[in-house]
């Protein structure tokens, strides 16, 4: 009996101690928040180890403090988790949850329902709602739930949102139609993407896959002539090279396959070395430039020198942009009210930035490796075919390409004219005979 | 002891077989396209697939009206006067290859230096002695010209306009027939020539053309044929 009383008493004291520690941490974070260091204040709160132990009065104080805050949730990188439910004001919490949502976080039907409910309570045309819808659409697309993805994407298109580039949404719609094998509709949406958009080159490359599926390899090569142009050497991915080589294999243009192999090596080998370094260290001078530009609210200009050292499309990575903006805010908070909490926030943000660069570098390297393997297979197949079929067939005549007086034709000499991009046509003439 | 050694060996073998093979991307890159004999053979098997650029005309001239203002210089006519033209054109483009139109020009004439000196000399003689004879050339200068023309545009091209944009152009051949009003009266004329039309924007065009334009004039010695060359620059609006 006495022992039992001792045990019970010990447990209560432990619980009270835990509550006081959690409460103490939460109060410190609240003071940080109220002193103007809002980002580091909330980040400090989200680092409380046992949030369920935060006393109700401290929770109530946090609720009141964040009731009218309509923007800080955008800069919080530390993940909100379910144990923190009820600590922050309800509206702030919903915005934070939505803003931190990633497609990969949605793992089950229950998660899907939870996200749909969250979206339904968020204000219309708000950034958090748009972001959550976007992540949900990505999830549905990845899971091949194309009808659900289409529904969510249609909501985004119908809204007045400005967070997600309209061309990016159209690209997603085109991809959904491609997944459903509705190739004509997919091509239609790819063509709706503005030529001045950052996503236009992606649309041309992905459109080439449509014509590949339709076995119109000459049209595939026509599209890829645009993507492989020297104008885009900073942005063209390895998949364009593989697809071009594959199409040339189908058209028996072995000469072109070897030309593309040389070009592929020339463009990607230097990048591989730099990306491996970035994957290891998480930073380099080019990555620092990107973060500095994002901090100033500018769009980074990736010239050819920087492009060699950076993952593709790093300039449009939303997560890096947010972390850079948060970094700027916390650096300002550090200058005004520097303390241990802001220092920890600063360190965490920098670590998250480095981790993100490593993730992007790793993804690029994996893409290069995957396509390199395919390219090796194409090369091997080309070599085998050349051995088996050493003679050329009777060449068919040139086909008429232009379709009327309103179109004009010019020869292609690899000189790039901006008005000619996406206007290439390939006249394929035939394949070697079988046998020697 | 023997069991212990076997156990350790088993562990080592298991470790080696479970270890992931090292992925060397650079080595895989180096192995691409290294067989030069194969690459040469590939050159021989060239199927001559060809890439061409096929694009829409920037300015579509199908069923469009062109309204222009032009300025021209006339050469090769009478030695005693020179003519400049100002005028206009109205051209209907059936398609980018053919057009038909109307041209009108008003002649602005002035004496050449030779003609001017002859007239001044005659004036001086007259002033010195009204009874003495003098000679001045008989001038049958043009007043205005109207032509009906047809044009054929067989050759097109484009150029990079000072990095500001790309402009398309067409070389064309022109032929026409019309009437000229001279000082002495009306006479027939016809014309043939070549030019270049620059389609700067959807509604803006420029032309530069050279035309041979013969006609018969009447001087005191009788009718004579004058073979003139008209060089015109036109600025027009495409409607």
């Amino acid at each position: 009996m006495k022992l039992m009383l001792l045990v019970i008493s010990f447990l209560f004291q432990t619980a009270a101690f835990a509550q006081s520690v959690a409460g103490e941490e939460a109060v410190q974070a609240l003071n940080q928040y109220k002193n103007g260091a809002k980002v580091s204040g909330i980040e400090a709160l989200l680092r409380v180890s046992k949030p369920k132990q935060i006393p109700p009065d401290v929770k109530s104080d946090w609720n009141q403090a964040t009731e009218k805050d309509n923007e800080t949730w955008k800069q919080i990188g530390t993940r909100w988790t379910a144990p923190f439910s009820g600590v922050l004001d309800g509206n702030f919490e919903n915005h934070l949850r939505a803003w931190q949502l990633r497609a990969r976080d949605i793992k089950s039907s229950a998660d899907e329902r939870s996200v749909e409910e969250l979206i339904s309570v968020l204000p219309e045309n708000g950034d958090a709602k748009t972001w959550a819808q976007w992540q949900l659409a990505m999830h549905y697309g990845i899971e091949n739930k194309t009808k659900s993805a289409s529904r969510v994407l249609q909501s985004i298109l119908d809204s007045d949102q400005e967070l997600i580039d309209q061309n990016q949404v159209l690209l997603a719609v085109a991809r959904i139609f491609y997944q459903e094998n509705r190739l004509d509709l997919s091509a239609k949406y790819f063509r709706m993407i503005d030529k001045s958009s950052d996503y236009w080159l992606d649309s041309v490359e992905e459109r080439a896959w449509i014509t590949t599926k339709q076995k119109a390899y000459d049209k595939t090569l026509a599209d890829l002539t645009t993507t492989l142009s020297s104008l885009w050497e900073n942005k063209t991915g390895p998949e364009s090279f593989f697809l071009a080589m594959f199409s040339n294999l189908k058209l028996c243009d072995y000469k072109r396959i070897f030309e593309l192999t040389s070009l592929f090596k020339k463009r990607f080998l230097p990048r591989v070395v730099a990306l491996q370094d970035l994957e290891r260290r998480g930073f380099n001078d080019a990555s620092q430039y990107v973060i500095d530009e994002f901090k100033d609210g500018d769009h980074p200009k990736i010239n050819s020198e920087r492009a060699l050292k950076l993952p593709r499309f790093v300039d449009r990575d939303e997560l890096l942009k947010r972390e850079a903006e948060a970094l700027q805010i916390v650096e300002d908070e550090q200058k005004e009210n520097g303390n241990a909490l802001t220092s920890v926030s600063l360190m965490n943000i920098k670590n998250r930035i480095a981790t993100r660069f490593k993730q992007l570098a790793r993804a690029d390297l994996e893409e290069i490796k995957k396509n390199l393997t395919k390219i090796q297979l194409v090369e091997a197949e080309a070599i085998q075919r050349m051995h088996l079929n050493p003679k050329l067939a009777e060449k068919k005549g040139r086909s008429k390409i232009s379709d009327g007086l309103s179109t004009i034709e010019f020869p292609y000499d690899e000189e790039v004219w901006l008005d000619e991009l996406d206007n290439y046509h390939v006249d394929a003439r035939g394949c070697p005979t079988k046998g020697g | 002891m023997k069991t212990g050694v076997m156990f350790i060996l088993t562990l080592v073998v298991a470790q080696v077989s479970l270890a992931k093979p090292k992925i060397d991307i650079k080595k895989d890159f180096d192995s691409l396209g290294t067989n030069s004999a194969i690459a040469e053979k590939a050159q021989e098997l060239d199927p001559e697939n060809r890439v061409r650029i096929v694009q829409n005309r920037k300015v579509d001239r199908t069923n469009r009206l062109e309204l222009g203002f032009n300025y021209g210089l006339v050469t090769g006519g009478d030695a005693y006067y020179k003519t400049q033209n100002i005028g206009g054109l109205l051209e209907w483009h059936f398609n980018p290859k053919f057009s038909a139109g109307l041209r009108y020009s008003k002649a602005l004439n002035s004496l050449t230096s030779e003609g001017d000196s002859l007239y001044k000399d005659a004036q001086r003689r007259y002033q010195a002695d009204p009874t003495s004879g003098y000679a001045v050339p008989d001038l049958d200068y043009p007043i205005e010209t109207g032509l009906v023309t047809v044009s054929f545009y067989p050759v097109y091209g484009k150029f990079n306009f000072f990095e500001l944009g790309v402009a398309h152009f067409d070389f064309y051949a022109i032929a026409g027939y019309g009437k000229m009003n001279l000082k002495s009266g009306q006479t027939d004329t016809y014309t043939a020539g070549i030019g270049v039309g620059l389609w700067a924007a959807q509604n803006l065009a420029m032309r530069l053309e050279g035309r041979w334009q013969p006609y018969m004039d009447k001087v005191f010695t009788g009718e004579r044929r004058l073979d003139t060359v008209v060089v015109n620059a036109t600025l027009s609006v495409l409607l």
Side-chain angles (χ1 to χ4, degrees):
Chain A
M1 184 65 179
K2 205 174 173 181
L3 180 64
M4 199 161 63
L5 283 170
L6 269 171
V7 167
I8 292 168
S9 158
F10 173 74
L11 285 172
F12 268 115
Q13 281 173 22
T14 308
F17 177 75
Q19 204 178 49
S20 72
V21 168
E24 187 61 39
E25 287 174 347
V27 166
Q28 264 189 350
L30 181 60
N31 289 337
Q32 182 83 352
Y33 181 87
K34 285 180 174 175
N35 284 339
K38 291 187 173 182
V39 172
S40 48
I42 293 182
E43 295 232 336
L45 172 71
L46 295 174
R47 288 196 297 269
V48 168
S49 48
K50 293 185 176 161
K52 287 190 173 175
Q53 309 289 344
I54 297 174
D57 56 330
V58 177
K59 283 187 187 179
S60 172
D61 288 343
W62 263 109
N63 256 265
Q64 281 178 18
T66 52
E67 195 180 352
K68 290 190 171 42
D69 190 335
N70 284 323
E71 54 183 23
T72 312
W73 45 267
K74 284 186 183 181
Q75 280 93 30
I76 308 302
T78 303
R79 301 283 280 173
W80 178 95
T81 49
F84 285 95
S85 181
V87 177
L88 298 162
D89 166 70
N91 182 54
F92 188 99
E93 183 180 297
N94 286 338
H95 277 78
L96 183 61
R97 284 176 59 205
W99 196 240
Q100 290 188 345
L101 182 67
R102 303 283 179 271
R104 62 170 185 259
D105 299 333
I106 308 170
K107 291 184 171 55
S108 64
S109 304
D111 288 343
E112 286 169 10
R113 279 193 298 276
S114 166
V115 172
E116 297 263 16
E117 275 169 29
L118 175 63
I119 288 169
S120 68
V121 301
L122 289 165
E124 285 298 320
N125 301 323
D127 285 353
K129 182 177 183 120
T130 304
W131 180 258
Q133 283 176 315
W134 181 243
Q135 295 305 309
L136 185 62
M138 293 300 103
H139 159 76
Y140 282 140
I142 291 165
E143 294 298 312
N144 211 25
K145 293 180 181 177
T146 51
K147 285 200 172 10
S148 300
S150 302
R151 172 178 53 81
V152 179
L153 287 170
Q154 186 64 58
S155 307
I156 298 175
L157 283 171
D158 291 342
S159 71
D160 293 330
Q161 65 86 22
E162 287 176 9
L163 178 70
I164 312 290
D165 186 335
Q166 184 83 339
N167 291 293
Q168 195 178 2
V169 182
L170 289 171
L171 190 67
V173 171
R175 285 168 177 167
I176 293 295
F177 282 127
Y178 183 86
Q179 265 178 263
E180 292 183 337
N181 211 33
R182 293 158 77 180
L183 301 179
D184 290 340
L185 272 175
S186 180
K188 176 187 155 189
Y189 275 86
F190 277 130
R191 289 198 182 279
M192 284 166 77
I193 289 159
D194 205 8
K195 272 192 178 177
S196 59
S197 161
D198 280 346
Y199 299 96
W200 175 73
L201 198 65
D202 300 49
S203 73
V204 175
E205 186 180 302
E206 295 185 32
R207 214 172 61 203
W209 277 106
I210 292 177
T211 47
T212 304
K213 262 197 161 188
Q214 293 168 332
K215 297 186 175 12
Y217 300 112
D218 51 345
K219 291 185 179 158
T220 304
L221 287 176
D223 283 336
L224 294 174
T225 304
T226 297
T227 62
L228 293 175
S229 159
S230 56
L231 207 60
W232 317 114
E233 64 179 344
N234 297 340
K235 292 192 183 275
T236 307
E239 195 169 85
S240 278
F241 281 88
F242 160 67
L243 191 55
M245 287 183 203
F246 176 77
S247 300
N248 277 302
L249 182 70
K250 288 294 184 182
L251 294 176
C252 304
D253 195 344
Y254 308 122
K255 173 171 164 271
R256 187 69 184 134
I257 290 175
F258 284 94
E259 286 171 2
L260 287 170
T261 304
S262 298
L263 188 61
F264 178 73
K265 279 168 81 167
K266 185 179 157 206
R267 286 211 194 156
F268 284 94
L269 190 51
R271 288 200 68 223
V272 162
V273 172
L275 286 173
Q276 283 176 332
D277 181 60
L278 183 63
E279 190 200 6
R280 198 178 61 250
R281 296 194 302 154
F283 72 91
N284 55 32
D285 55 342
S287 68
Q288 186 58 52
Y289 163 79
V290 169
I291 295 302
D292 289 342
E293 288 295 293
F294 278 144
K295 278 164 71 177
D296 291 339
D298 296 326
H299 189 88
K301 290 173 191 51
I302 310 296
N303 58 23
S304 47
E305 194 194 324
R306 288 185 195 123
L308 273 180
K309 300 178 194 174
L310 289 169
R312 271 199 315 150
F313 308 130
V314 69
D315 55 326
R316 60 186 204 209
D317 191 70
E318 180 66 30
L319 302 180
L320 267 180
K321 192 171 163 223
R322 283 194 212 170
E323 295 289 3
E325 286 167 358
L327 181 64
Q328 182 65 58
I329 292 173
V330 175
E331 281 177 349
D332 292 340
E333 287 175 1
Q334 175 83 328
K335 279 185 203 146
E336 291 228 14
N337 289 321
N339 57 29
L341 291 179
T342 46
S343 299
V344 171
S345 283
L346 213 52
M347 189 181 69
N348 285 346
I349 292 172
K350 287 178 180 173
N351 283 342
R352 285 198 297 268
I353 287 173
T355 303
R356 183 64 183 160
F357 272 114
K358 286 180 183 179
Q359 280 171 351
L360 292 173
R362 191 172 312 124
D364 262 31
L365 284 168
E366 279 168 8
E367 191 191 11
I368 291 171
K369 174 66 185 158
K370 187 177 78 174
N371 283 285
L372 179 57
T373 306
K374 292 182 197 174
I375 285 168
Q376 285 173 323
L377 288 172
V378 168
E379 194 187 42
E381 177 69 17
I383 291 168
Q384 189 189 28
R385 285 193 189 185
M386 281 194 296
H387 279 305
L388 288 175
N389 308 312
K391 284 189 186 169
L392 284 171
E394 186 76 19
K395 291 181 191 177
K396 61 182 187 199
R398 298 269 174 227
S399 56
K400 191 167 169 11
I401 297 175
S402 64
D403 57 356
L405 293 172
S406 296
T407 55
I408 46 180
E409 273 185 49
F410 294 101
Y412 173 66
D413 57 1
E414 299 192 9
E415 184 185 347
V416 179
W417 285 53
L418 285 178
D419 66 309
E420 292 172 0
L421 292 171
D422 209 22
N423 284 308
Y424 300 110
H425 281 250
V426 170
D427 190 9
R429 300 192 67 194
C431 269
T433 54
K434 285 195 175 162
Chain B
M1 174 69 179
K2 204 173 175 180
T3 316
V5 167
M6 284 306 298
F7 177 68
I8 290 165
L9 271 173
T10 310
L11 277 179
V12 167
V13 166
Q15 192 67 23
V16 165
S17 61
L18 284 171
K20 267 190 177 174
K22 189 174 183 300
I23 298 170
D24 190 341
I25 297 184
K26 280 176 272 181
K27 194 172 167 193
D28 287 338
F29 262 100
D30 288 340
S31 70
L32 274 183
T34 47
N35 192 326
S36 54
I38 296 288
E40 271 176 36
K41 190 173 171 59
Q43 298 282 334
E44 291 164 21
L45 289 173
D46 182 5
E48 295 177 18
N49 294 337
R50 199 173 66 177
V51 180
R52 292 182 69 75
I53 294 130
V54 180
Q55 59 187 147
N56 290 330
R57 285 180 175 268
K58 277 193 131 187
V59 178
D60 188 6
R61 290 180 289 113
T62 302
N63 294 330
R64 290 189 79 177
L65 185 65
E66 183 184 349
L67 196 61
F69 164 79
N70 56 38
Y71 167 80
L73 293 170
V74 182
T75 68
D78 195 294
Y80 300 114
Y81 64 85
K82 53 190 177 188
T83 305
Q84 296 173 75
N85 288 335
I86 53 168
L89 68 85
L90 193 69
E91 194 89 2
W92 178 257
H93 292 267
F94 297 99
N95 55 49
K97 289 286 188 206
F98 290 100
S99 68
L102 301 170
R103 306 265 177 127
Y104 170 81
S105 56
K106 179 99 179 109
L108 305 170
N109 302 294
S110 57
L111 290 168
T112 59
S113 53
E114 191 172 344
D116 186 50
S117 98
L118 283 173
Y119 270 86
K120 280 183 175 152
D121 184 56
Q123 199 175 33
R124 198 179 55 248
R125 282 172 191 267
Y126 178 75
Q127 281 168 355
D129 179 5
T131 58
S132 75
Y134 58 83
V136 288
D138 186 15
L139 305 176
D140 189 13
Y141 48 81
I143 298 167
E144 58 188 3
T145 310
L147 291 168
V148 174
T149 60
V150 286
S151 302
F152 172 55
Y153 305 78
V155 177
Y156 56 77
K158 61 178 178 175
F159 67 90
N160 189 339
F161 193 72
F162 301 109
E163 304 290 339
L164 292 173
V166 172
H168 291 175
F169 61 85
D170 286 80
F171 286 107
Y172 61 94
I174 182 171
Y177 170 79
K179 297 283 188 189
M180 280 179 84
N181 280 342
L182 307 177
K183 189 189 96 183
S184 64
Q186 204 176 67
T187 183
D188 291 337
T189 183
Y190 45 93
T191 189
I194 56 172
V196 59
L198 176 68
W199 322 108
Q202 286 301 328
N203 300 104
L204 182 68
M206 289 171 262
R207 287 173 183 264
L208 183 65
E209 67 189 27
R211 291 184 285 109
W212 168 67
Q213 188 171 314
Y215 63 94
M216 303 292 285
D217 73 353
K218 269 188 202 151
V219 290
F220 75 92
T221 51
E223 276 193 340
R224 61 175 182 171
R225 177 170 139 147
L226 290 179
D227 285 303
T228 62
V229 172
V230 180
V231 178
N232 257 350
T234 307
L235 186 67
S236 37
V237 166
L238 285 164
L239 302 172

